């Protein structure tokens, strides 16, 4: 299951000099993506109070985002492979930035849902575009590290969202928080295009319909889809509901929760780098890339089992530590999970392959978010943490028993 185009970046003279620098600029879009996305989660208690929302209703807002995210992801992947990385990422960042700005002008539940639908549809292009960039600029052994760098961008956005959104909300009102984060995305577009023009671009063949159809008929893709959906349950829980957990279970105010809510994303960043480094090490020692990814996923699933103990934490500091360990494991799993389709399907289908995994995350979040919200209304957090603890192990079982990693 080797990558037939693994020598593509090496054949491009500019790649060796510029690949990590250009990728770093690209990853800023992932940080802004998650800053836009997580601003809502960070300000959830404020919005619930202003619009008189239950947790279940807030779950449906997340579900609307996720449904649009899942539906748009394959189309976004095909678009990226078809028109190229630069044009596609400029388009999707522009649309999601405008949707974020529009959130600051909403007047009720329907407006929030509408903005999140547009945001979800546009942001569905972010991770597939990152996959395309990673395959376009990096060698096979480096791809999990590339995904770790992208995860760092995601984590940076999640780290900044609670303090930045809360500070803006307290000083200028919550609406200004969405306007500011949206404007940052618009400013990124000329920066990326300047960097991409200076560095040039690796040559990449365009996706044709037959190539995409063959990939859709490959059973490995659907095993990756199922495994990714299961592995992302914990990620969905902690990226969307950490502030709510601290407020509900430890009686913190919104400002008080900020002292702890930024810590798990830092550990997510560390987990991404740990997962990327481990698979890179295994590959350098002779392991096939897909086998190396699976070893790291299995180790991360074992660590994730400790998530069960989080409700037993007596203080918010211990709860934050438990959440941090949980999302550390999820991130280590994720950077390798999102590298598997790059290893298996090659550059011409890189964005489309990753987009199918992105869609699976959107589907699982759409399914579980309202249910999670209902369980939180009933104060049944232990059910949620137990589910999040076990699903990565179930994901490994899917990969193993479908023979997708051996």
């Amino acid at each position: 299951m080797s990558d037939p185009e693994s020598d593509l970046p090496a054949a491009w003279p500019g790649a060796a000099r510029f690949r990590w620098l250009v990728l770093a600029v690209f990853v800023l879009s992932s940080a802004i993506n998650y800053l836009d996305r997580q601003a809502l989660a960070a300000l959830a208690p404020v919005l619930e109070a202003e619009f008189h929302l239950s947790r279940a209703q807030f779950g449906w807002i997340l579900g609307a985002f996720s449904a649009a995210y899942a539906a748009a992801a394959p189309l976004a992947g095909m678009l990226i492979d078809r028109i190229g990385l630069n044009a596609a990422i400029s388009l999707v960042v522009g649309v999601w930035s405008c949707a974020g700005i529009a959130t600051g002008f909403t007047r009720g539940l329907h407006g929030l849902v509408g903005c999140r639908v547009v945001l979800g549809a546009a942001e569905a292009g972010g991770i597939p575009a990152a996959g395309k960039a990673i395959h376009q600029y990096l060698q096979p052994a480096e791809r999990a590290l590339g995904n770790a760098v992208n995860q760092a961008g995601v984590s940076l956005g999640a780290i900044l969202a609670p303090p930045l959104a809360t500070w803006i909300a307290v000083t200028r009102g919550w609406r200004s928080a969405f306007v500011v984060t949206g404007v940052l995305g618009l400013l990124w577009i000329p920066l990326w295009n300047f960097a991409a023009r200076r560095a040039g671009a690796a040559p990449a063949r365009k996706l044709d319909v037959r190539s995409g159809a063959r990939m859709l008929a490959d059973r490995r893709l659907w095993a990756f889809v199922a495994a990714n959906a299961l592995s992302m349950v914990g990620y969905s829980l902690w990226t969307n509901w950490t502030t709510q957990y601290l407020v509900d279970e430890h009686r913190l105010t919104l400002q008080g929760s900020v002292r702890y809510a930024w810590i798990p994303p830092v550990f997510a960043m560390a987990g991404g780098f740990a997962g990327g480094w481990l698979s890179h090490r295994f590959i350098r020692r002779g392991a096939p890339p897909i086998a190396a990814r699976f070893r790291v996923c299995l180790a991360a699933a074992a660590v994730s089992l400790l998530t069960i103990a989080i409700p037993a934490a007596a203080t918010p500091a211990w709860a934050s530590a438990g959440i941090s360990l949980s999302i550390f494991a999820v991130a280590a799993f994720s950077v390798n999970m999102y590298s598997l389709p790059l290893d298996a399907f090659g550059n011409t289908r890189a964005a489309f392959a990753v987009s199918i995994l992105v869609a699976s995350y959107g589907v699982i979040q759409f399914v579980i978010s309202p249910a999670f919200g209902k369980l939180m209304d009933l104060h049944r957090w232990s059910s949620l943490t137990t589910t999040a603890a076990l699903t990565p192990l179930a994901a490994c079982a899917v990969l193993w028993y479908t023979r997708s990693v051996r």
Side-chain angles (χ1 to χ4, degrees), residues 125-361:
I127 300 300
K132 188 76 169 181
I134 288 164
H135 198 290
Q136 194 162 303
Y137 286 101
L138 302 183
Q139 297 286 355
E142 299 169 330
R143 288 176 192 156
L145 281 173
N147 271 315
V149 172
N150 192 59
Q151 176 64 46
V154 168
S155 299
L156 179 62
I159 291 165
L160 292 176
L164 179 61
T166 300
W167 177 75
I168 296 173
V170 170
T171 59
R172 302 293 300 273
W174 67 265
R175 297 178 185 278
S176 297
F178 291 99
V179 174
V180 169
T181 56
V183 168
L184 289 175
L186 296 177
L187 293 175
W188 177 86
I189 296 172
L191 173 64
W192 164 253
N193 282 281
F194 172 78
R197 282 195 303 269
R198 295 280 294 180
R205 295 187 293 276
K206 292 182 178 180
L207 175 70
D208 61 58
V209 174
R210 288 175 299 176
S211 176
R214 285 194 300 271
M215 188 186 70
L216 290 172
D218 193 319
R219 64 177 178 79
R220 291 175 298 168
L221 175 65
W222 301 107
F224 295 159
V225 164
N228 187 63
L230 289 167
S231 71
M232 297 299 280
V233 169
Y235 186 83
S236 179
L237 176 62
W238 299 126
T239 55
N240 290 307
W241 302 97
T242 292
T243 299
Q244 297 283 23
Y245 180 79
L246 295 171
V247 170
D248 283 358
E249 297 299 298
H250 294 279
R251 303 294 186 266
L252 298 180
T253 63
L254 178 63
Q255 292 91 331
S257 69
V258 171
R259 294 177 56 194
Y260 303 99
W262 65 271
I263 301 173
V266 172
F267 277 79
M269 185 187 299
F273 279 110
W277 175 81
L278 275 175
S279 64
H280 183 269
R281 184 180 177 88
F282 288 146
I283 292 168
R284 290 301 188 196
R285 289 183 171 183
I290 288 179
R293 315 286 186 221
F294 181 70
R295 290 182 193 176
V296 180
C297 288
L298 193 59
V303 174
S304 186
L305 293 173
L306 297 173
T307 305
I308 293 173
I310 290 173
T315 67
W318 278 110
S320 180
I323 294 168
S324 298
L325 184 62
S326 178
I327 205 166
F328 176 95
V330 170
F333 195 116
S334 180
V335 298
N336 286 281
M337 188 70 244
Y338 276 88
S339 297
L340 285 171
L342 303 181
D343 298 325
F345 301 118
N347 183 62
T348 60
R349 296 168 286 179
F352 186 52
V354 172
S355 76
I356 302 299
L357 267 67
V358 170
S360 74
Y361 169 58

Side-chain angles (χ1 to χ4, degrees), residues 55-122:
R55 297 291 157 77
Q57 286 176 313
F58 189 80
W60 280 112
I61 294 172
L62 296 177
F65 171 93
S66 302
Y69 192 78
L75 299 176
M78 287 190 286
L79 178 72
I80 294 160
D81 283 329
R82 194 70 184 170
I83 72 173
L85 178 64
N86 293 353
I89 193 61
S90 298
L91 174 64
V92 298
V93 172
V95 174
W96 89 48
S97 297
C98 291
I101 292 169
T103 305
F105 296 92
T106 55
R107 298 297 174 185
L109 177 60
H110 293 113
L112 280 174
V113 170
C115 289
R116 298 309 280 186
V117 166
V118 176
L119 189 75

Side-chain angles (χ1 to χ4, degrees), residues 24-60:
V25 175
F26 185 89
V27 162
L28 284 175
S29 72
S30 297
I32 295 167
N33 181 319
Y34 271 73
L35 182 61
D36 286 351
R37 189 184 307 187
Q38 293 305 115
L40 186 77
L43 298 175
V46 176
L47 272 68
E48 286 176 355
E50 176 154 342
F51 296 128
H52 307 291
L53 304 175
S54 69
R55 297 291 157 77
Q57 286 176 313
F58 189 80
W60 280 112

